[in-house]
Each structure stands twice: as C-alpha cells, then as structure tokens.
Amino acid sequence: MDDDTLPDDSMTPRRRKIRPEPSQLHPEDRIGDAATTEGELDEEDESERRVRRNKSRRQLERTHFQMVNERVVEDITVDFLYKPHTLTILGLLVVFISYKAFTGFTEAQNATDRNVYDGLLGTLALFLVVSAMAFPNGPFIRPHPVFWRIVFGVSVVYLMLLQFTLFQTYTDVKTVLTWLDPKGLGQEDLVEKEYAINCSDVSLERIWSHMDIFAVGHFTGWAMKALLIRHGVLCWYISIAWELTEIVFTQLLPNFAECWWDAIILDVLICNGLGIFAGLQVCKWLSMRNYHWESIKNITSHRARFKRMVMQFTPENMDDFDWGSFTQTIKRTMAVYVFVLIWLLTELNTFFMKHVFSVDTKHPVVFWRLILIAFISAPSIRQFYLYATDPLIKRLGMQCWVYLAVCALEAAICVKFGIHMFPRVAVTPIVVWILFLIVGTFFCVWISVWWAKKSSATTEITIDGENCDIYLDSSHENLGAIHDDVRRRRRDLGFSESDLN
C-alpha cells in the first residue's frame, strides 16, 4: 500500500478499552486486579504524602527565612507605637520639606553650596522615612523594628554612596570631601603616631604611657565584638589573627608597626582580653535573665512601668552562638573561615580608607562610620550565623547581603585610589597570612568542639543510625536563637513533626 492510500488517523474511530466489572472476572483475575488497584492506591498515597511533605518543607523554609529577615512583633505592649501612621507621617514630611525648601537661601552668598547641602539632607531624610515604612525588620525587634529598618536604610544609602565613589577620580573625591569639611577632610598628608620606637625599653612607666584613648577603644571595641560574636574561642582567635594581620600589612601601613610587648601584652592580653571577658559576661548575664514582656497597660505600679520601659531597650533574647559544630563540619568550618576573613577585611578597610583619603583618626567621620558598621553588623552576624547553621535557611538575609556588599566596595575603593600610594607588595607574607587563617580556623573549630565536650555542653544522640554529638541548647536543626519563635509559628501553621521527615 502506498503512502497516499494510508488511512487518516483523524478520521478513523478510536476503540475505547472497556474494563470488565469485577463480577465478570475469573477469581484469580479478581485477586490480581485487587492487588493492582491496592498498589496504585499506595503509590498515589505515597505521591500525595511526598507532595504534601515538600510543600510543608518549602513553607517551613519561608517561615524560617521570615524569622531571620523580617521578624514580626507578636506581643505588642503599646498599640500606638506599632500602628503605621502613614498619613500622619506623610503630612508632617510634606510640611517640613516644603518649609525648608521655601525658606532656604536663594540670593545670599554661597547660597548654592547651602542649598545643595540642604537638598542632600532632605533626600536622606525622605529615604530614611520610606525605609522605616517599607524595609524589612530584620532579625531584631528591640527596642523597636523601626530602628532596625532605619539602620537598614542608612546601610543602603552608604552602599549607594560607595558605589558612586568607586566610579569617580581621586581628585573629585577629595574635592567633595574638602567641600564638606575643608579643615578636617581637605588635608593632603596624614601624620600618624609611631608606636615601634625604642622597643627595648620595657618598664611599667613605659607600658602605662601607652594606655591612651586607643587602649580604651580596644577595650570597648572588643566588649562590643564579644556581644556580637558571643563565642569566647572565636573572639580570641580573631584578636590574635588581627595582630598577625597588622604585621603582614605593615609594609603598606607603617602605622601598624608596634613593639612586641605593645601587641602581646597591651593589645591581646589586657585590652582585648578584658574586653572579651566583659562582653561575654554581659552575654551570660542577659541569657540567664528571665524576661517578662508583659504589657505596660497591665502593670499597675509606676516603678514596674519604668522597669518595663527600660527593658524595651534590652535584647528580647540573648542566646549563645555555637560556631563549632559536630555535624556538617566542612560547611561550618568554611562559614567560620569566611566570617573571620570578612571581619578582618572590615577592620583593614577602616585603616586603609583613612590613610588613602588622609583623614585623621580623631575626625567624627571615622567615629560615625565605626558606629554605623557596628549597627549594621549586629543583624548581619545573626543572619549569617543562622544561614550557616540552620539547614532550612537557604539564602542570606538582606542586611547581611548589604553588609557584604559594603565590605567589598570599601575594599575596591581602597585598591583603586591607593594602589599608586603603596610600594610593591610582597606576596609571600600575604600567602602565609591566608594559610594561617585556614589552619587557624580549623584549629579554632577543634578547640571549640573540645571545650564544648569538656564543659558538658553537649550530649550524644543517634541520628540515622549514627552517634552524633549535639549542643544541649540546640536541636538537630540548630535553630539557635529562633527556636521558640519557629516552634510557635509551626503550631500556628499546623505543622507536625511527620511533615518534616
């Protein structure tokens, strides 16, 4: 038969397969058909369970990320402080900006400079108001979510400013800095104090003479860092690693050069050590306190009301961070390595930027940048820690993402504008520094695990037929600081443990 004579399938009636009734089948056929039907039902049930389990897990992952990126205030104490008031804010903002715009300098001398300055401040104020209403809360809700939204907004403004600066020339950047502060930011050369002088003269009087404002800065700085990191071994490791970092980069920043007793005794042991101890003691005190977040309207005495108001400015919880883990060792170790590297890079950016643009250490811009980095790093560390330890969190929180971008742009600015200022860099010390951080990170994690076992902070359980050690204050998911909130949210969403297995 030729192809032209083949029948058209579309015109040929299709035969429908008729399934016989069970009563018309042979008994053996009925048994086989029943088994087939039961198997098909089991497959359908298993498929439905798998789909429901995957859906529950995805929803649980969204819940975990929400607790990290945009926490919700569930126990509202004062209703007025947690209402949007968007129309009221809009009206006040329009009145304020209109007043400043119509009463500004128009024909006076240097009016352009003043108007540009006021316009930039007005733009900043408007953006921060928008950020306070639209940006995510982040992982913290004390003293108020609006505070952390504004911190997020300031970090975004700083990120955009760094991005704009990266595409300018050094002359233009210095021109803008001189316009902002001709005396403090307009100088071309920076004279810094030298510390590596007559190092053989070691006496109590000489050591005491070095206890200046920078020693106080070391103490307070490491007390705050201990509050943020909340891990003694990791704090000591970063403190020692920073002293090595100063030695490696002395070829680029001579100000890093200091006597051995200044680095070991004053910096590491006394100032940094006491700061770490004080910060960890505050962490211990806060984590052991019982917080009663009852509403102010339910408190009768004035003293109790005042105490509750003061407690609003303390953290809602102060859980310890267990950076060393017994499971997922490689992932956790790499997370600690990246964390230490980013931390040291942030510290280096501070010194390189003030050296490149000739800004004195005592200038307010240096101080307020450190304050900004401190506020940005607080939620960023929490988000990075939970990303590294919680397997249900698949992406970084937005504040942590912005912090990493800020760190990268600062480093790029230092390299672009400072590469002609520095001599030829010796590569060998930098390679040794990187290798030290890798080995030191593994040693830091090993010490943390050893100390956790020694201090009875762990217990041994069986997971999937294997004996594993876990921390007593963490689940196998290592939810850490958000486990209470997640469990409560699971109950609200109707999750069961069987949905997670």
Side-chain angles (χ1 to χ4, degrees):
M1 182 180 296
D2 297 333
D3 293 340
D4 295 337
T5 60
L6 290 176
D8 187 1
D9 291 340
S10 61
M11 303 299 294
T12 304
R14 298 183 180 274
R15 295 183 179 180
R16 183 170 58 92
K17 185 177 180 180
I18 301 177
R19 186 181 182 89
E21 295 294 332
S23 58
Q24 301 175 356
L25 295 174
H26 190 272
E28 295 181 357
D29 295 335
R30 287 201 299 268
I31 295 176
D33 187 72
T36 303
T37 304
E38 184 177 356
E40 292 176 355
L41 293 176
D42 291 340
E43 292 179 359
E44 293 178 359
D45 292 342
E46 179 63 25
S47 178
E48 292 178 358
R49 285 195 298 269
R50 188 183 304 109
V51 171
R52 185 171 61 253
R53 187 161 53 246
N54 293 336
K55 183 178 180 180
S56 300
R57 185 175 181 85
R58 287 194 298 269
Q59 189 172 358
L60 187 59
E61 290 176 357
R62 289 193 296 268
T63 303
H64 278 230
F65 182 75
Q66 183 183 8
M67 298 301 297
V68 173
N69 195 65
E70 190 171 4
R71 289 195 60 185
V72 178
V73 182
E74 298 181 352
D75 184 16
I76 297 178
T77 57
V78 181
D79 295 337
F80 174 79
L81 297 178
Y82 291 90
K83 290 183 179 179
H85 305 292
T86 53
L87 295 179
T88 303
I89 295 175
L90 178 61
L92 294 176
L93 187 63
V94 170
V95 171
F96 175 75
I97 293 180
S98 300
Y99 171 77
K100 293 293 293 183
F102 288 102
T103 59
F105 298 92
T106 56
E107 303 297 337
Q109 187 178 6
N110 297 327
T112 301
D113 293 345
R114 182 65 182 181
N115 291 336
V116 170
Y117 185 77
D118 290 341
L120 292 176
L121 289 182
T123 303
L124 175 63
L126 179 61
F127 183 82
L128 293 183
V129 170
V130 174
S131 65
M133 295 187 298
F135 279 10
N137 297 336
F140 299 145
I141 57 176
R142 304 296 183 198
H144 196 282
V146 171
F147 173 79
W148 296 107
R149 292 182 211 146
I150 293 177
V151 170
F152 190 16
V154 175
S155 66
V156 172
V157 172
Y158 183 55
L159 178 67
M160 297 296 103
L161 182 62
L162 292 174
Q163 176 64 39
F164 179 80
T165 304
L166 185 62
F167 287 89
Q168 310 308 309
T169 63
Y170 181 82
T171 303
D172 293 338
V173 174
K174 286 297 295 185
T175 302
V176 174
L177 293 177
T178 305
W179 174 72
L180 292 174
D181 185 1
K183 184 178 180 180
L185 302 177
Q187 55 185 340
E188 295 294 335
D189 298 322
L190 181 63
V191 179
E192 296 182 301
K193 181 179 178 181
E194 296 183 2
Y195 295 94
I197 300 177
N198 195 15
C199 296
S200 60
D201 181 14
V202 183
S203 61
L204 292 178
E205 292 78 12
R206 180 80 187 278
I207 295 177
W208 180 256
S209 64
H210 281 67
M211 300 296 291
D212 51 9
I213 187 63
F214 296 103
V216 178
H218 272 272
F219 172 80
T220 56
W222 272 103
M224 292 300 299
K225 293 171 185 176
L227 285 172
L228 296 176
I229 301 176
R230 306 179 196 174
H231 195 279
V233 176
L234 188 56
C235 286
W236 278 102
Y237 169 54
I238 294 178
S239 176
I240 298 173
W242 172 248
E243 296 301 324
L244 179 64
T245 303
E246 287 185 333
I247 296 175
V248 170
F249 288 93
T250 301
Q251 56 178 328
L252 301 179
L253 295 176
N255 182 250
F256 277 171
E258 55 187 355
C259 298
W260 65 267
W261 48 265
D262 192 355
I264 298 176
I265 299 177
L266 288 182
D267 290 350
V268 176
L269 297 180
I270 298 180
C271 298
N272 297 357
L274 292 178
I276 293 172
F277 176 78
L280 293 179
Q281 288 300 114
V282 173
C283 289
K284 183 178 179 181
W285 176 66
L286 289 175
S287 63
M288 293 177 63
R289 288 179 56 188
N290 292 323
Y291 292 93
H292 304 284
W293 295 103
E294 62 270 12
S295 176
I296 292 181
K297 58 188 178 183
N298 297 328
I299 303 176
T300 55
S301 65
H302 295 287
R303 181 178 180 181
R305 284 174 176 264
F306 177 77
K307 182 179 179 181
R308 171 60 183 86
M309 182 179 64
V310 172
M311 290 174 62
Q312 183 71 20
F313 295 92
T314 62
E316 185 190 22
N317 50 52
M318 200 69 178
D319 300 276
D320 295 333
F321 284 176
D322 300 324
W323 292 93
S325 177
F326 303 101
T327 57
Q328 299 180 337
T329 306
I330 300 300
K331 177 184 177 181
R332 185 72 63 87
T333 305
M334 290 303 300
V336 174
Y337 174 73
V338 172
F339 175 79
V340 173
L341 193 63
I342 294 298
W343 190 284
L344 296 178
L345 183 60
T346 303
E347 299 276 4
L348 283 174
N349 289 340
T350 303
F351 292 92
F352 274 108
M353 289 184 69
K354 74 182 187 66
H355 181 81
V356 169
F357 296 109
S358 301
V359 180
D360 188 73
T361 307
K362 299 179 181 179
H363 195 276
V365 72
V366 177
F367 172 78
W368 287 112
R369 178 197 167 273
L370 292 176
I371 296 298
L372 174 62
I373 293 298
F375 279 116
I376 297 176
S377 62
S380 300
I381 292 175
R382 173 68 70 88
Q383 291 178 343
F384 182 81
Y385 171 76
L386 294 174
Y387 170 77
T389 59
D390 188 350
L392 292 178
I393 297 179
K394 304 298 184 182
R395 54 191 176 123
L396 282 174
M398 286 306 303
Q399 182 64 88
C400 185
W401 189 93
V402 171
Y403 178 81
L404 295 178
V406 165
C407 184
L409 286 178
E410 285 184 343
I413 289 174
C414 294
V415 172
K416 178 180 179 179
F417 298 125
I419 192 170
H420 65 282
M421 300 180 182
F422 301 119
R424 187 175 182 85
V425 181
V427 180
T428 303
I430 297 180
V431 173
V432 174
W433 175 66
I434 295 176
L435 294 177
F436 169 81
L437 293 181
I438 295 175
V439 176
T441 300
F442 277 94
F443 186 73
C444 174
V445 173
W446 181 83
I447 287 291
S448 301
V449 172
W450 175 81
W451 179 255
K453 291 183 177 180
K454 183 179 177 62
S455 59
S456 300
T458 64
T459 184
E460 184 175 309
I461 65 172
T462 302
I463 300 178
D464 297 332
E466 297 182 0
N467 293 331
C468 301
D469 292 313
I470 65 169
Y471 286 95
L472 295 176
D473 56 353
S474 301
S475 66
H476 69 281
E477 295 169 333
N478 205 353
L479 296 177
I482 62 173
H483 62 279
D484 292 334
D485 296 318
V486 172
R487 288 171 182 171
R488 181 167 58 251
R489 187 61 59 86
R490 285 178 182 176
R491 291 194 299 268
D492 296 340
L493 297 176
F495 288 127
S496 62
E497 294 297 328
S498 61
D499 295 331
L500 309 178
N501 298 324

